[in-house]
């Protein structure tokens, strides 16, 4: 296995985008922040867009970006969306790394590749003079418990480690849970758009459990808007 970056080969952007079509529910890719700024981030920091390859197969990726953070928990970005805004406005005063996505393709799950990618990100950060890595983590199994508040879910434990597999991997690799990112990603759309994205019918205003969502989607029929506010979990790693 070996790592390559978008800086090594700009054509890899198509592979990056293709891998990103697999793990996320459709509606997450409809976030205005992602649609407006995601590719712009690639152009600014191509050297931090990693792909893990084995022979002719691409196994997974990491999207990492330098960011400015004062080191306090209260000083963390609000979440994924706010991190993107912070990255874009502080390109010259960056002092830590922020991994906005670490993805392993479904067909290669069970090989602990996420740990391999995470270790590479930390190793690279250390080599570039960064001592810390922060990540707004999207817990793997939270979508199975959308009615449980993230603040409670992230503290669930099994045998002394987090219940959630992705949180557990971070802790096993030296990560520390800092706090819930309450409004990490916000997606808004018309009722017809939400029906297209989810394959569901929304006959009344109110909260709906939607496949792949970490919390309920709120439907407002009277103003023709559906809104999803996704919580994540901020985790800190030391780069080494």
């Amino acid at each position: 296995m070996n790592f390559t970056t978008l800086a090594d080969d700009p054509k890899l952007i198509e592979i990056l985008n293709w891998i990103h079509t697999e793990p996320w529910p459709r509606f997450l890719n409809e976030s205005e922040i992602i649609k407006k700024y995601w590719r712009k981030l690639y152009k600014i920091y191509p050297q931090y867009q990693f792909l893990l390859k084995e022979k002719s197969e691409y196994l997974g990726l990491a999207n990492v970006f330098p960011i400015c953070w004062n080191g306090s928990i209260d000083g963390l970005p609000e979440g994924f969306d706010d991190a993107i805004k912070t990255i874009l406005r502080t390109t010259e005063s960056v002092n830590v790394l922020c991994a906005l996505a670490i993805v392993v393709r479904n067909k290669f799950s069970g090989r602990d590749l996420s740990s391999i990618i995470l270790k590479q990100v930390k190793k690279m950060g250390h080599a570039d003079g960064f001592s810390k890595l922060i990540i707004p983590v999207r817990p793997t199994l939270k979508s199975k418990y959308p009615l449980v508040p993230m603040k409670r879910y992230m503290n669930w434990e099994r045998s002394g480690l987090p219940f959630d597999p992705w949180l557990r991997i971070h802790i096993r690799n030296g990560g520390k849970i800092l706090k819930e990112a309450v409004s990490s990603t916000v997606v808004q759309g018309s009722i017809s758009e939400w029906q297209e994205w989810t394959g569901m019918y929304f006959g009344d205003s109110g909260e709906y459990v939607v496949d792949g969502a970490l919390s309920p989607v709120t439907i407002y029929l009277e103003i023709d808007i559906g809104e999803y506010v996704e919580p994540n979990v901020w985790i800190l790693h030391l780069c080494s």
Side-chain angles (χ1 to χ4, degrees):
M1 289 186 289
N2 64 285
F3 285 92
T4 187
T5 72
L6 194 54
D8 298 326
D9 182 0
K11 294 179 181 178
L12 291 175
I13 191 168
E14 299 305 325
I15 302 297
L16 285 165
N17 291 332
W18 170 65
I19 292 177
H20 269 300
T21 64
E22 184 179 82
W24 318 116
R26 163 81 184 278
F27 56 83
L28 270 190
N29 290 322
E30 300 298 333
S31 157
E32 286 301 315
I33 295 293
I34 290 177
K35 290 194 292 186
K36 189 173 182 179
Y37 298 121
W38 190 249
R39 290 201 177 205
K40 184 176 181 179
L41 289 176
Y42 284 176
K43 293 179 180 179
I44 299 172
Y45 294 112
Q47 71 274 31
Y48 293 133
Q49 312 315 307
F50 293 92
L51 280 160
L52 177 60
K53 188 176 183 180
E54 183 178 56
K55 297 180 181 178
S56 61
E57 290 267 26
Y58 289 96
L59 313 182
L61 61 78
N63 300 123
V64 186
F65 308 93
I67 193 171
C68 182
W69 176 45
N70 65 12
S72 72
I73 292 180
D74 288 341
L76 285 165
E78 191 170 345
F80 183 94
D81 289 353
D82 193 37
I84 290 177
K85 296 175 185 177
T86 303
I87 291 162
L88 288 171
R89 69 172 175 258
T90 56
T91 55
E92 296 181 0
S93 57
V94 296
N95 60 349
V96 302
L97 287 180
C98 180
L100 290 181
I102 294 176
V103 178
V104 173
R105 292 175 59 197
N106 290 340
K107 66 185 289 186
F108 300 113
S109 63
R111 295 175 55 182
D112 201 26
L113 296 179
S114 52
S115 290
I116 292 174
I117 296 173
L118 179 59
K119 289 173 182 176
Q120 172 66 15
V121 170
K122 293 163 68 174
K123 180 180 177 182
M124 172 275 302
H126 179 73
D128 284 359
F130 295 101
S131 62
K132 295 177 181 178
L133 168 71
I134 55 174
I135 309 175
V137 171
R138 188 177 201 266
T140 309
L141 295 184
K142 179 62 173 70
S143 61
K144 294 183 180 295
Y145 307 92
L147 302 181
V148 178
M150 180 65 86
K151 196 167 186 179
R152 284 166 42 198
Y153 177 84
M154 71 185 194
N155 289 314
W156 285 6
E157 290 189 354
R158 177 179 287 173
S159 302
L161 288 169
F163 160 77
D164 187 85
W166 193 203
L167 294 179
R168 190 160 60 243
I169 286 171
H170 281 284
I171 300 307
R172 281 177 169 163
N173 282 280
K176 177 183 178 182
I177 293 176
L178 297 180
K179 71 170 185 176
E180 175 190 9
V182 178
S183 300
S184 193
T185 298
V186 177
V187 181
Q188 290 186 333
S190 67
I191 305 305
S192 63
E193 285 175 323
W194 274 103
Q195 290 180 163
E196 178 189 349
W197 298 339
T198 64
M200 294 175 62
Y201 174 74
F202 302 104
D204 291 302
S205 294
E207 293 189 336
Y208 288 80
V209 172
V210 169
D211 188 33
L214 308 193
S215 58
V217 173
T218 304
I219 297 295
Y220 304 94
L221 286 183
E222 62 277 8
I223 56 174
D224 190 30
I225 285 181
E227 182 178 62
Y228 172 63
V229 180
E230 175 165 296
N232 289 161
V233 180
W234 276 113
I235 288 185
L236 170 68
H237 287 270
L238 300 180
C239 293
S240 59

